[in-house]
Amino acid sequence: MTRPPYLFAPPEPVSLPIRGSNMRYPIRRIFCVGRNYHAHAIEMGNPVDKATMEPFYFLKDASSAVESGATVAYPPGTRNYQFELELVVAIGAAGFRVSEADAEGLIYGYCAGLDMTRRDLQFKARDQGRPWDLGKNFEHAAVFTEIVPRANPGVLAAGAISLQVNGETRQCSDLSKMIWSIPELLADLSKFYHLAPGDLILTGTPEGVGPVLPGDRIDGHIEGVGTLELHIGAADGA
Ligand code: MN
């Protein structure tokens, strides 16, 4: 029995280039870790005590992803549109309730990513105890470089992470300052989800987040992973 035709053409999967390959990496889900660098948690007003707290997560739609180099419109509904540069783990094998020791086997590779945020809407939701979607999950809210297949061994534990706006350094830290390591994050997240190929995990941003305006240019760099570029266009509908 053949299925009835679709009412309209389903969207193409959103995908990213893979360094050294002519294949592309199709995105399934985009997970984001909330607070994973102490200095950023403090600048957000919520210090983290790893001994008593657990990581937390939110998601962005796969359709919100855009590739590095793009120009995106300044998004609607905000007056405080901010950047967060993050290391991104690209999952390449299925895993559920994986141990920290086995977590490396789930990793296909890495890329650099921007968790673009309507900070005013995020804080309004946070302060009212409401979901973060308006602040975090909107069109073009996730920006990614090409995927770099992991080395062997493949857990990234250190490396410089930095971001410039119009050439001025705004974020400058090191992956070694993550509160929860990549194996700890994968073990924890896989308690709640069946991780699968195509899942991307943004591992949190260091301190220095801030706003951008139409005409601004963002450059990000993660040592050993990649270099990212985003241009902010005129306000959507302007
Ligand atoms: Mn973030």
Side-chain angles (χ1 to χ4, degrees):
M1 198 173 94
T2 57
R3 61 159 178 78
Y6 291 119
L7 179 63
F8 52 87
E12 283 284 305
V14 181
S15 62
L16 297 172
I18 300 170
R19 186 179 299 171
S21 171
N22 58 8
M23 293 187 285
R24 291 180 66 90
Y25 181 95
I27 301 174
R28 180 171 185 260
R29 293 180 291 192
I30 302 172
F31 295 97
C32 304
V33 180
R35 298 175 193 117
N36 203 26
Y37 290 78
H38 284 297
H40 173 64
I42 289 166
E43 77 180 349
M44 290 289 105
N46 290 286
V48 173
D49 178 1
K50 190 177 180 183
T52 60
M53 298 168 78
E54 293 173 334
F56 73 94
Y57 310 96
F58 57 91
L59 288 96
K60 297 185 189 237
D61 288 351
S63 62
S64 71
V66 296
E67 279 185 47
S68 172
T71 298
V72 298
Y74 191 94
T78 184
R79 302 184 68 133
N80 193 359
Y81 174 48
Q82 297 203 353
F83 55 81
E84 298 186 359
L85 180 65
E86 314 200 4
L87 174 69
V88 182
V89 179
I91 297 296
F96 180 55
R97 294 176 178 160
V98 298
S99 68
E100 290 175 29
D102 291 338
E104 181 181 345
L106 271 58
I107 302 171
Y108 173 76
Y110 298 94
C111 66
L114 285 171
D115 167 13
M116 296 304 291
T117 301
R118 294 190 285 211
R119 190 74 69 200
D120 45 356
L121 300 187
Q122 181 204 5
F123 280 178
K124 184 176 174 188
R126 183 189 73 178
D127 295 345
Q128 294 177 340
R130 290 177 177 167
W132 283 12
D133 296 66
L134 286 180
K136 288 290 196 180
N137 188 7
F138 54 95
E139 289 101 344
H140 316 310
V143 184
F144 300 109
T145 63
E146 63 182 359
I147 307 265
V148 182
R150 72 168 168 89
N152 204 358
V155 172
L156 273 188
I161 176 170
S162 67
L163 177 144
Q164 289 83 35
V165 177
N166 304 328
E168 182 183 326
T169 297
R170 305 290 289 278
Q171 294 192 281
C172 185
S173 187
D174 196 280
L175 301 176
S176 62
K177 294 184 179 177
M178 284 189 197
I179 297 170
W180 284 280
S181 69
I182 290 168
E184 288 173 331
L185 290 173
L186 296 185
D188 186 71
L189 186 58
S190 71
K191 293 176 188 169
F192 303 98
Y193 297 93
H194 292 75
L195 295 179
D199 287 341
L200 297 176
I201 302 160
L202 284 79
T203 57
T205 194
E207 70 277 18
V209 301
V212 284
L213 293 169
D216 283 348
R217 171 197 173 117
I218 297 172
D219 289 282
H221 183 73
I222 300 179
E223 184 181 354
V225 176
T227 296
L228 179 151
E229 181 184 321
L230 183 70
H231 302 268
I232 312 303
D236 203 357

Coordinates of all heavy atoms in Angstrom, one line a residue, residues 119-198:
R119 N 17.7 38.2 24.5 CA 18.0 38.1 26.0 C 16.8 38.7 26.7 O 16.5 38.3 27.8 CB 19.3 38.9 26.3 CG 19.7 38.7 27.7 CD 20.3 37.3 28.0 NE 21.6 37.1 27.3 CZ 22.1 35.9 27.0 NH1 21.5 34.8 27.4 NH2 23.3 35.9 26.4
D120 N 16.2 39.8 26.2 CA 15.1 40.4 27.0 C 13.9 39.5 27.1 O 13.3 39.4 28.2 CB 14.7 41.8 26.3 CG 14.6 41.7 24.8 OD1 14.9 40.6 24.2 OD2 14.2 42.7 24.2
L121 N 13.7 38.7 26.0 CA 12.5 37.8 26.1 C 12.9 36.5 27.0 O 12.1 36.0 27.7 CB 12.1 37.3 24.7 CG 11.7 38.4 23.7 CD1 11.2 37.9 22.4 CD2 10.6 39.3 24.4
Q122 N 14.2 36.1 26.9 CA 14.6 35.0 27.8 C 14.5 35.4 29.3 O 13.9 34.6 30.1 CB 16.1 34.6 27.5 CG 16.5 33.5 28.4 CD 18.0 33.4 28.5 OE1 18.8 34.4 28.1 NE2 18.5 32.4 29.2
F123 N 14.9 36.6 29.6 CA 14.9 37.0 31.0 C 13.4 37.2 31.5 O 13.1 36.9 32.6 CB 15.7 38.3 31.2 CG 17.2 38.0 31.3 CD1 18.1 39.1 31.5 CD2 17.7 36.7 31.3 CE1 19.4 38.9 31.6 CE2 19.1 36.5 31.4 CZ 19.9 37.6 31.6
K124 N 12.6 37.8 30.6 CA 11.2 38.0 31.0 C 10.6 36.6 31.3 O 9.9 36.4 32.3 CB 10.5 38.7 29.8 CG 9.0 39.0 30.1 CD 8.4 39.8 29.0 CE 6.9 40.0 29.2 NZ 6.3 40.6 28.0
A125 N 10.8 35.6 30.4 CA 10.3 34.3 30.6 C 10.8 33.7 31.9 O 10.1 33.1 32.7 CB 10.6 33.4 29.4
R126 N 12.2 33.8 32.1 CA 12.8 33.2 33.2 C 12.2 33.8 34.5 O 11.9 33.0 35.4 CB 14.3 33.5 33.2 CG 15.1 32.9 34.3 CD 16.6 33.5 34.3 NE 16.6 34.9 34.8 CZ 17.8 35.5 34.9 NH1 18.9 35.0 34.6 NH2 17.8 36.8 35.3
D127 N 12.1 35.1 34.5 CA 11.6 35.7 35.8 C 10.1 35.4 36.1 O 9.7 35.6 37.2 CB 11.8 37.3 35.7 CG 13.3 37.6 35.6 OD1 14.1 36.7 35.9 OD2 13.7 38.7 35.2
Q128 N 9.4 35.0 35.0 CA 8.0 34.7 35.2 C 7.8 33.2 35.3 O 6.7 32.7 35.4 CB 7.1 35.2 34.0 CG 7.1 36.8 34.0 CD 6.3 37.3 32.8 OE1 6.1 36.6 31.8 NE2 5.9 38.5 32.9
G129 N 8.9 32.4 35.3 CA 8.8 31.0 35.4 C 8.2 30.3 34.2 O 7.6 29.3 34.3
R130 N 8.4 31.0 33.0 CA 7.8 30.5 31.8 C 8.9 29.8 30.9 O 10.1 30.1 31.1 CB 7.1 31.6 31.0 CG 5.9 32.1 31.7 CD 5.3 33.3 31.0 NE 4.0 33.7 31.6 CZ 3.4 34.8 31.3 NH1 3.9 35.7 30.4 NH2 2.3 35.2 31.9
P131 N 8.5 29.1 29.9 CA 9.5 28.5 29.0 C 10.3 29.5 28.3 O 9.9 30.7 28.1 CB 8.6 27.7 28.0 CG 7.3 27.4 28.7 CD 7.1 28.6 29.6
W132 N 11.5 29.1 27.8 CA 12.5 30.0 27.2 C 12.3 30.2 25.7 O 13.1 30.8 25.1 CB 13.9 29.5 27.5 CG 14.4 29.8 28.8 CD1 13.7 30.2 29.9 CD2 15.8 29.6 29.3 NE1 14.5 30.3 31.0 CE2 15.8 30.0 30.6 CE3 16.9 29.2 28.6 CZ2 17.0 29.9 31.4 CZ3 18.1 29.2 29.4 CH2 18.1 29.5 30.7
D133 N 11.3 29.5 25.1 CA 11.3 29.4 23.7 C 11.4 30.7 22.9 O 12.1 30.9 21.9 CB 10.1 28.6 23.2 CG 10.1 27.2 23.7 OD1 10.0 27.0 24.9 OD2 10.3 26.3 22.9
L134 N 10.7 31.7 23.4 CA 10.7 33.0 22.6 C 12.1 33.6 22.7 O 12.5 34.3 21.7 CB 9.7 34.0 23.2 CG 8.2 33.7 23.0 CD1 7.4 34.8 23.6 CD2 7.9 33.7 21.5
G135 N 12.8 33.4 23.7 CA 14.1 33.9 23.8 C 15.2 33.2 23.1 O 16.3 33.7 22.7
K136 N 15.0 31.9 23.0 CA 16.1 31.0 22.5 C 15.8 30.3 21.2 O 16.7 29.9 20.4 CB 16.3 29.9 23.6 CG 17.1 30.4 24.8 CD 18.5 30.8 24.5 CE 19.3 31.0 25.7 NZ 20.7 31.3 25.4
N137 N 14.5 30.0 20.9 CA 14.2 29.1 19.8 C 13.4 29.9 18.7 O 12.2 30.0 18.8 CB 13.3 27.9 20.3 CG 13.1 26.9 19.2 OD1 13.7 27.0 18.1 ND2 12.3 25.9 19.5
F138 N 14.1 30.6 17.8 CA 13.5 31.4 16.8 C 14.3 31.2 15.5 O 15.3 30.6 15.5 CB 13.4 32.9 17.2 CG 14.7 33.4 17.7 CD1 15.5 34.1 16.8 CD2 15.2 33.3 19.0 CE1 16.7 34.7 17.2 CE2 16.4 33.8 19.4 CZ 17.2 34.5 18.5
E139 N 13.7 31.8 14.4 CA 14.4 31.6 13.1 C 15.8 32.1 13.1 O 16.1 33.2 13.6 CB 13.6 32.3 12.0 CG 12.3 31.6 11.6 CD 11.1 32.3 12.2 OE1 11.3 33.1 13.1 OE2 10.0 32.0 11.8
H140 N 16.8 31.3 12.6 CA 18.2 31.6 12.5 C 18.9 31.8 13.8 O 19.9 32.5 13.9 CB 18.4 33.0 11.7 CG 17.5 33.1 10.4 ND1 17.5 32.1 9.5 CD2 16.7 34.0 10.0 CE1 16.6 32.4 8.5 NE2 16.2 33.6 8.8
A141 N 18.3 31.1 14.9 CA 18.9 31.3 16.2 C 20.1 30.4 16.5 O 20.7 30.5 17.5 CB 17.8 31.1 17.3
A142 N 20.4 29.5 15.6 CA 21.5 28.6 15.7 C 22.4 28.7 14.5 O 22.0 28.5 13.4 CB 21.1 27.2 15.9
V143 N 23.7 29.0 14.7 CA 24.7 29.2 13.6 C 25.8 28.2 13.8 O 26.3 28.1 14.9 CB 25.2 30.7 13.7 CG1 26.1 30.9 12.5 CG2 24.1 31.7 13.7
F144 N 26.1 27.5 12.7 CA 27.1 26.5 12.9 C 28.2 26.5 11.7 O 27.9 26.8 10.6 CB 26.5 25.1 12.8 CG 25.5 24.8 13.8 CD1 24.1 24.8 13.5 CD2 25.8 24.6 15.2 CE1 23.1 24.5 14.5 CE2 24.9 24.4 16.2 CZ 23.5 24.3 15.8
T145 N 29.4 26.2 12.1 CA 30.5 26.0 11.1 C 30.3 24.5 10.5 O 29.5 23.8 11.0 CB 31.9 26.1 11.7 OG1 32.0 25.1 12.7 CG2 32.1 27.4 12.4
E146 N 31.2 24.2 9.6 CA 31.3 22.8 9.2 C 31.6 21.9 10.3 O 32.3 22.3 11.3 CB 32.3 22.7 8.0 CG 33.7 23.0 8.5 CD 34.8 22.9 7.4 OE1 34.4 22.6 6.3 OE2 36.0 23.2 7.7
I147 N 31.2 20.6 10.2 CA 31.6 19.6 11.2 C 33.0 19.1 11.0 O 33.3 18.8 9.8 CB 30.6 18.5 11.2 CG1 29.1 19.0 11.2 CG2 30.9 17.4 12.2 CD1 28.5 19.0 12.6
V148 N 33.8 19.0 12.0 CA 35.1 18.4 12.0 C 35.0 17.0 12.6 O 34.8 16.9 13.8 CB 36.1 19.3 12.7 CG1 37.5 18.7 12.6 CG2 36.1 20.7 12.2
P149 N 35.3 16.0 11.8 CA 35.3 14.6 12.5 C 36.3 14.6 13.6 O 37.3 15.2 13.5 CB 35.7 13.7 11.3 CG 35.2 14.4 10.1 CD 35.5 15.9 10.4
R150 N 35.9 13.8 14.6 CA 36.8 13.8 15.8 C 38.0 13.0 15.6 O 38.1 12.1 14.7 CB 36.0 13.3 17.0 CG 35.8 11.7 17.0 CD 35.3 11.3 18.3 NE 34.8 9.9 18.4 CZ 35.5 8.9 18.6 NH1 36.8 9.0 18.7 NH2 35.0 7.7 18.6
A151 N 39.0 13.4 16.4 CA 40.3 12.6 16.4 C 40.1 11.4 17.3 O 39.0 11.1 17.8 CB 41.4 13.5 16.9
N152 N 41.1 10.6 17.4 CA 41.0 9.4 18.3 C 42.3 9.5 19.2 O 43.4 9.3 18.7 CB 41.0 8.2 17.4 CG 40.4 7.0 18.2 OD1 40.0 7.1 19.3 ND2 40.3 5.9 17.5
P153 N 42.1 9.6 20.5 CA 40.9 9.8 21.3 C 40.2 11.1 20.9 O 40.8 12.0 20.5 CB 41.4 9.8 22.7 CG 42.8 10.2 22.7 CD 43.3 9.7 21.4
G154 N 38.9 11.1 21.2 CA 38.1 12.2 20.6 C 37.3 13.1 21.6 O 36.5 13.8 21.2
V155 N 37.6 13.0 22.9 CA 37.0 13.9 23.8 C 37.8 15.2 23.9 O 38.9 15.2 24.3 CB 36.8 13.3 25.2 CG1 36.3 14.4 26.2 CG2 35.8 12.1 25.2
L156 N 37.2 16.3 23.5 CA 37.9 17.6 23.6 C 37.7 18.1 25.1 O 36.6 18.2 25.6 CB 37.2 18.7 22.7 CG 37.7 18.8 21.3 CD1 37.0 20.0 20.6 CD2 39.2 18.9 21.2
A157 N 38.9 18.4 25.7 CA 38.8 18.8 27.1 C 39.5 20.2 27.3 O 39.4 20.8 28.4 CB 39.6 17.8 27.9
A158 N 40.1 20.7 26.3 CA 40.8 22.0 26.4 C 40.9 22.7 25.0 O 40.9 22.0 24.0 CB 42.2 21.9 27.0
G159 N 41.1 24.0 25.0 CA 41.3 24.7 23.7 C 40.7 26.1 23.9 O 39.7 26.3 24.6
A160 N 41.3 27.0 23.2 CA 40.9 28.4 23.4 C 39.5 28.6 22.6 O 39.3 28.0 21.5 CB 41.9 29.4 22.8
I161 N 38.7 29.4 23.2 CA 37.4 29.8 22.6 C 37.2 31.3 22.7 O 37.3 31.8 23.8 CB 36.2 29.0 23.3 CG1 34.8 29.4 22.7 CG2 36.2 29.1 24.8 CD1 33.7 28.5 23.1
S162 N 37.1 31.9 21.6 CA 37.0 33.4 21.6 C 36.1 33.9 20.5 O 35.9 33.3 19.5 CB 38.4 34.0 21.4 OG 38.9 33.7 20.1
L163 N 35.6 35.1 20.8 CA 34.6 35.8 19.9 C 34.9 37.3 19.8 O 35.2 37.9 20.8 CB 33.2 35.5 20.4 CG 32.0 36.2 19.6 CD1 30.8 35.3 19.6 CD2 31.6 37.5 20.2
Q164 N 34.8 37.8 18.6 CA 35.0 39.2 18.4 C 33.7 39.8 17.7 O 33.1 39.1 16.9 CB 36.2 39.5 17.5 CG 37.5 39.3 18.1 CD 38.0 37.8 18.0 OE1 37.6 37.1 17.1 NE2 38.6 37.3 19.1
V165 N 33.4 41.0 18.1 CA 32.3 41.8 17.4 C 33.0 43.0 16.8 O 33.7 43.8 17.5 CB 31.2 42.3 18.4 CG1 30.2 43.1 17.6 CG2 30.5 41.1 19.0
N166 N 32.9 43.1 15.5 CA 33.6 44.1 14.7 C 35.1 44.2 15.0 O 35.6 45.3 15.2 CB 32.9 45.5 14.9 CG 31.4 45.4 14.6 OD1 31.0 44.7 13.7 ND2 30.6 46.2 15.3
G167 N 35.7 43.1 15.3 CA 37.1 43.0 15.5 C 37.5 43.2 17.0 O 38.7 43.1 17.3
E168 N 36.5 43.5 17.9 CA 36.8 43.7 19.3 C 36.5 42.5 20.1 O 35.4 42.0 20.0 CB 36.0 44.9 19.8 CG 36.3 45.3 21.2 CD 35.4 46.4 21.7 OE1 35.1 47.3 20.9 OE2 34.9 46.4 22.9
T169 N 37.5 42.0 20.8 CA 37.3 40.7 21.6 C 36.2 40.9 22.7 O 36.3 41.8 23.5 CB 38.6 40.2 22.2 OG1 39.5 39.9 21.1 CG2 38.4 39.0 23.0
R170 N 35.2 40.0 22.7 CA 34.2 40.1 23.7 C 34.1 38.8 24.6 O 33.7 38.9 25.7 CB 32.8 40.3 23.0 CG 32.8 41.5 22.1 CD 32.8 42.8 22.9 NE 31.6 43.0 23.6 CZ 30.5 43.5 23.0 NH1 30.5 43.9 21.7 NH2 29.4 43.6 23.7
Q171 N 34.5 37.7 24.0 CA 34.5 36.4 24.8 C 35.9 35.8 24.5 O 36.4 35.8 23.4 CB 33.5 35.4 24.3 CG 32.0 35.9 24.6 CD 31.0 34.8 24.3 OE1 30.7 34.5 23.2 NE2 30.6 34.1 25.4
C172 N 36.5 35.3 25.6 CA 37.9 34.8 25.6 C 38.0 33.8 26.7 O 38.1 34.3 27.9 CB 38.9 35.9 25.6 SG 40.6 35.2 25.4
S173 N 38.0 32.5 26.5 CA 38.1 31.6 27.6 C 38.7 30.3 27.1 O 39.4 30.3 26.1 CB 36.7 31.3 28.1 OG 36.7 30.5 29.3
D174 N 38.5 29.2 27.8 CA 39.1 27.9 27.4 C 38.1 26.8 27.7 O 37.3 26.9 28.7 CB 40.4 27.7 28.2 CG 41.2 26.6 27.5 OD1 40.9 25.4 27.7 OD2 42.1 26.9 26.7
L175 N 38.0 25.8 26.8 CA 37.1 24.7 27.0 C 37.3 24.0 28.3 O 36.4 23.3 28.8 CB 37.2 23.7 25.8 CG 36.9 24.3 24.4 CD1 37.2 23.2 23.3 CD2 35.5 24.9 24.3
S176 N 38.5 24.0 28.8 CA 38.8 23.4 30.1 C 38.0 24.0 31.3 O 38.0 23.4 32.3 CB 40.3 23.4 30.4 OG 40.7 24.8 30.5
K177 N 37.4 25.1 31.0 CA 36.6 25.7 32.1 C 35.2 25.3 32.2 O 34.4 25.8 33.0 CB 36.8 27.3 32.0 CG 38.2 27.8 32.2 CD 38.3 29.3 32.2 CE 39.7 29.7 32.5 NZ 39.9 31.2 32.4
M178 N 34.8 24.4 31.3 CA 33.4 23.9 31.4 C 33.2 23.2 32.8 O 34.1 22.6 33.3 CB 33.2 22.8 30.3 CG 33.0 23.2 28.9 SD 32.5 21.8 27.9 CE 32.9 22.5 26.3
I179 N 32.0 23.5 33.3 CA 31.7 22.9 34.6 C 31.4 21.4 34.4 O 32.0 20.6 35.2 CB 30.4 23.6 35.2 CG1 30.7 25.1 35.4 CG2 29.9 22.9 36.5 CD1 29.5 25.9 35.8
W180 N 30.6 21.0 33.5 CA 30.4 19.6 33.2 C 31.1 19.3 31.9 O 30.9 19.9 30.8 CB 28.9 19.3 33.0 CG 28.2 19.2 34.4 CD1 28.2 18.2 35.2 CD2 27.4 20.3 35.0 NE1 27.4 18.5 36.4 CE2 27.0 19.8 36.2 CE3 27.0 21.6 34.6 CZ2 26.2 20.6 37.1 CZ3 26.2 22.3 35.5 CH2 25.8 21.8 36.7
S181 N 31.9 18.2 31.9 CA 32.7 17.8 30.7 C 31.8 17.2 29.7 O 30.7 16.9 30.0 CB 33.8 16.8 31.2 OG 33.1 15.6 31.5
I182 N 32.3 17.0 28.5 CA 31.5 16.4 27.4 C 31.1 15.0 27.8 O 29.9 14.7 27.7 CB 32.3 16.4 26.1 CG1 32.5 17.8 25.6 CG2 31.7 15.5 25.1 CD1 33.4 18.0 24.5
P183 N 31.9 14.1 28.4 CA 31.4 12.8 28.8 C 30.3 12.9 29.9 O 29.3 12.2 29.9 CB 32.6 12.1 29.4 CG 33.8 12.7 28.6 CD 33.4 14.1 28.5
E184 N 30.5 13.9 30.8 CA 29.4 14.1 31.9 C 28.1 14.5 31.2 O 27.0 14.1 31.6 CB 29.9 15.1 32.9 CG 31.0 14.5 33.8 CD 31.7 15.5 34.7 OE1 31.7 16.7 34.4 OE2 32.1 15.1 35.8
L185 N 28.2 15.5 30.3 CA 27.0 16.0 29.6 C 26.3 14.9 28.8 O 25.1 14.7 28.9 CB 27.3 17.1 28.7 CG 27.8 18.4 29.3 CD1 28.2 19.4 28.3 CD2 26.6 19.0 30.2
L186 N 27.0 14.1 28.1 CA 26.4 13.0 27.3 C 25.8 11.9 28.2 O 24.7 11.4 27.9 CB 27.4 12.4 26.3 CG 28.0 13.3 25.2 CD1 28.9 12.6 24.3 CD2 26.9 14.0 24.5
A187 N 26.5 11.6 29.3 CA 25.9 10.6 30.2 C 24.6 11.2 30.8 O 23.6 10.4 30.9 CB 26.9 10.3 31.3
D188 N 24.6 12.4 31.2 CA 23.4 13.0 31.8 C 22.3 13.2 30.8 O 21.2 12.8 31.1 CB 23.8 14.4 32.4 CG 22.6 14.9 33.2 OD1 22.3 14.4 34.3 OD2 22.0 15.9 32.8
L189 N 22.6 13.8 29.7 CA 21.5 14.0 28.7 C 20.9 12.7 28.2 O 19.6 12.7 28.0 CB 22.1 14.8 27.5 CG 21.1 15.3 26.4 CD1 20.0 16.2 27.0 CD2 21.8 16.0 25.3
S190 N 21.7 11.7 28.1 CA 21.1 10.4 27.6 C 20.3 9.6 28.7 O 19.8 8.6 28.4 CB 22.3 9.5 27.1 OG 23.1 9.0 28.1
K191 N 20.2 10.2 29.9 CA 19.3 9.7 30.8 C 17.9 10.0 30.5 O 16.9 9.4 30.9 CB 19.5 10.2 32.2 CG 20.8 9.8 32.9 CD 20.9 10.6 34.2 CE 22.3 10.4 34.9 NZ 22.5 11.3 36.0
F192 N 17.7 11.1 29.7 CA 16.4 11.7 29.4 C 16.0 11.6 27.9 O 14.8 11.7 27.6 CB 16.5 13.2 29.8 CG 16.8 13.5 31.2 CD1 18.1 13.9 31.5 CD2 15.9 13.4 32.2 CE1 18.5 14.1 32.8 CE2 16.2 13.6 33.5 CZ 17.5 14.0 33.8
Y193 N 17.0 11.3 27.1 CA 16.7 11.2 25.6 C 17.5 10.1 25.0 O 18.6 9.8 25.5 CB 17.1 12.5 24.9 CG 16.4 13.8 25.3 CD1 16.9 14.6 26.3 CD2 15.1 14.1 24.7 CE1 16.2 15.7 26.7 CE2 14.4 15.2 25.1 CZ 15.0 16.1 26.1 OH 14.3 17.2 26.4
H194 N 16.9 9.4 24.0 CA 17.7 8.5 23.2 C 18.5 9.3 22.2 O 17.9 9.7 21.2 CB 16.7 7.5 22.5 CG 16.0 6.6 23.4 ND1 14.9 7.0 24.2 CD2 16.2 5.3 23.7 CE1 14.5 5.9 24.9 NE2 15.3 4.9 24.6
L195 N 19.7 9.5 22.5 CA 20.5 10.3 21.5 C 20.7 9.5 20.3 O 20.8 8.3 20.3 CB 21.9 10.7 22.2 CG 21.8 11.6 23.4 CD1 23.2 11.9 24.0 CD2 21.1 12.9 23.0
A196 N 20.8 10.3 19.1 CA 20.9 9.6 17.8 C 21.7 10.4 16.9 O 21.8 11.6 17.1 CB 19.5 9.4 17.3
P197 N 22.2 9.8 15.8 CA 22.9 10.6 14.8 C 22.1 11.7 14.3 O 20.9 11.6 14.1 CB 23.2 9.5 13.7 CG 23.2 8.2 14.4 CD 22.2 8.4 15.5
G198 N 22.8 12.9 14.2 CA 22.1 14.1 13.8 C 21.8 15.0 14.9 O 21.5 16.2 14.7

